[in-house]
């Protein structure tokens, strides 16, 4: 069944129907990190280890697109050696999203994350977190 959910999601990403546009408008107005009841892409979340039980938490987060911005040096430099453009981080946007969520929820462990959507300014990810101290999770491992 999840195969069909994945196919429907991929089709929607290509066609960009009105429902996705409305959802995206709502996401843009939300805060950067939002804890949600259930995953938006249940098929992907299940493949990455999500289970619909207590102790599992899903957080939707957005990360800004683009390279790093480095301030221009104050003292004199030859323009070629300013080193302000083409500065790139060695971490992906997904890793940035996971790190930020882990910082906000220090008592939870990041299980995994997956891509949701992107527009010109932001990339949205959903991060799956697990509470290792929750009785439902602790008795399992």
């Amino acid at each position: 069944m999840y195969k069909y959910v994945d196919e429907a999601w991929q089709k929607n990403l290509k066609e960009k129907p009105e429902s996705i546009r409305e959802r995206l408008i709502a996401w843009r107005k939300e805060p950067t990190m939002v804890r949600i009841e259930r995953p938006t892409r249940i098929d992907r979340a299940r493949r990455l280890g999500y289970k619909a039980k207590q102790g599992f938490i899903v957080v939707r987060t957005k990360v800004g697109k683009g390279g790093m911005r480095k301030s221009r040096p104050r003292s004199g430099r030859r323009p070629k050696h300013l080193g302000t453009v083409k500065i790139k981080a060695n971490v992906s946007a997904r890793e940035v999203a996971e790190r930020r969520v882990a910082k906000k929820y220090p008592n939870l462990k990041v299980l995994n994350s997956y891509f949701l959507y992107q527009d010109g300014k932001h990339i949205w990810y959903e991060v799956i977190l697990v509470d290792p101290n929750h009785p439902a999770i602790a008795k399992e491992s």
Side-chain angles (χ1 to χ4, degrees), residues 72 75-83:
R72 188 179 189 282
S75 59
R77 297 278 196 293
R78 183 177 161 199
K80 181 179 182 179
H81 298 299
L82 282 174

Side-chain angles (χ1 to χ4, degrees), residues 100-113:
R100 288 178 184 174
V101 170
K103 188 176 179 184
K104 177 152 183 172
Y105 296 92
N107 61 325
L108 304 175
K109 298 260 188 254
V110 173
L111 180 66
N112 225 319
S113 65

Side-chain angles (χ1 to χ4, degrees), residues 2-132:
Y2 291 119
K3 183 176 111 180
Y4 300 111
V5 173
D6 188 38
E7 288 172 5
W9 185 263
Q10 296 303 326
K11 183 178 152 200
N12 277 343
L13 282 178
K14 286 179 187 159
E15 293 176 1
K16 294 187 175 76
E18 194 62 35
S19 59
I20 290 271
R21 259 187 246 129
E22 289 169 5
R23 189 183 284 184
L24 198 60
I25 289 167
W27 289 354
R28 284 189 193 111
K29 293 176 184 174
E30 286 177 346
T32 304
M33 275 182 236
V34 181
R35 182 175 169 177
I36 54 178
E37 287 293 316
R38 58 183 61 87
T40 310
R41 293 181 61 186
I42 186 71
D43 60 311
R44 190 80 178 104
R46 295 271 303 175
R47 261 186 269 142
L48 296 175
Y50 171 80
K51 293 182 179 131
K53 62 191 228 178
Q54 292 182 332
F56 281 86
I57 291 147
V58 181
V59 177
R60 181 174 50 241
T61 183
K62 70 180 173 188
V63 179
K65 286 175 71 173
M68 295 168 62
R69 285 135 194 101
K70 191 173 175 191
S71 60
R72 188 179 189 282
R74 297 282 174 252
S75 59
R77 297 278 196 293
R78 183 177 161 199
K80 181 179 182 179
H81 298 299
L82 282 174
T84 57
V85 293
K86 297 180 183 171
I87 305 291
K88 292 171 180 63
N90 279 339
V91 292
S92 66
R94 181 178 162 197
E95 288 177 59
V96 170
E98 288 179 3
R99 187 186 69 229
R100 288 178 184 174
V101 170
K103 188 176 179 184
K104 177 152 183 172
Y105 296 92
N107 61 325
L108 304 175
K109 298 260 188 254
V110 173
L111 180 66
N112 225 319
S113 65
Y114 55 91
F115 171 82
L116 267 185
Y117 200 81
Q118 72 177 359
D119 64 3
K121 288 180 81 174
H122 303 286
I123 306 173
W124 282 268
Y125 291 96
E126 280 186 1
V127 182
I128 304 166
L129 300 160
V130 182
D131 184 1

